[in-house]
Amino acid sequence: MKSDSVVIIPTYNEKENISNIIHAVLGLEGHQFDVLVIDDNSKDGTGAIVNGLIAEIPGRINIIKRPGKLGLGTAYITGFKWALQQGYDFIIEMDADFSHPPKDLIPMQRACASEGADVAVGSRYVTGVNVVNWPMGRVLMSYYASAYVRLVTGMHVHDTTAGFVCYRREVLEAIDLDKIEFKGYAFQIEMKFTAYKMGFTIKEVPIIFVNRVLGTSKMNSSIFGEALFGVIKLRLESWFNKKRFVRCRCSGSTKG
């Protein structure tokens, strides 16, 4: 039976994690989630592993293969459009490396399904600093980056850069996904800010973020630079291009 919820997992060289994370998501008790993997032409066989799981567990797993590394933001946009076309009501972003605890998919989906949220954010900072195995410098950079975003944008969200997010389909239908500009770290900020400016309700669900054990991080300094200057651009655009933040049903399910 098809689920009403799909978890989108972007991958690039995640062979150490992909099978385990998919099994963890599919094995949750309390709600059924389907999985969509967006693979950017991994060289380590990630796509082949997913294809094997699709054959093993038909109907629950899907994969979209792209020709190369095209950016995290475009991976999620591709996944959003696919999920809307398939009729899912709840669409969730999640990393492949277990930094986002699979068990927290259930309270995040519940926040949108029955607790009044349009967007649920798996938040590292809503109840303090809940990060495990990160160097202190990176913790401070991430924490104060979110504080900086709150200051510039006015969003009442503690973890503005979080990549563990559940959207009601109505949010993604209202956002013109083709106008989402940023591809890296700032993509997460842009999506939340756009939903916030459109008047959607954002709720933070506390999680404990655990740094990856297997595989290699894709974070780099250019991603932080995009976020630093991108936030200012978003704020200015909200002043001078208000039409962008008006709700519509002009994208998502019909484009791409």
Side-chain angles (χ1 to χ4, degrees), residues 60-114:
R60 299 287 308 280
I61 309 165
N62 296 274
I63 186 170
I64 296 175
K65 297 181 180 180
R66 306 201 302 171
K69 292 185 71 174
L70 302 175
L72 180 69
T74 63
Y76 277 127
I77 295 298
T78 297
F80 292 161
K81 290 180 178 181
W82 179 92
L84 291 173
Q85 290 168 352
Q86 298 300 312
Y88 288 99
D89 294 321
F90 306 98
I91 297 124
I92 304 168
E93 303 177 5
M94 185 180 191
D95 288 350
D97 60 6
F98 283 93
S99 57
H100 301 147
K103 66 180 180 60
D104 290 323
L105 288 166
I106 292 174
M108 289 176 61
Q109 192 273 348
R110 185 169 59 239
C112 289
S114 60

Side-chain angles (χ1 to χ4, degrees), residues 20 23 50 88 110 116 141 153 183:
N20 288 337
H23 280 298
V50 176
Y88 288 99
R110 185 169 59 239
M141 180 180 293
T153 64
K183 296 181 179 181

Side-chain angles (χ1 to χ4, degrees), residues 90 106-120 168 201-206:
F90 306 98
I106 292 174
M108 289 176 61
Q109 192 273 348
R110 185 169 59 239
C112 289
S114 60
E115 296 176 358
D118 298 306
V119 181
R168 293 178 59 87
T201 300
I202 302 175
K203 179 177 180 178
E204 292 186 85
V205 176

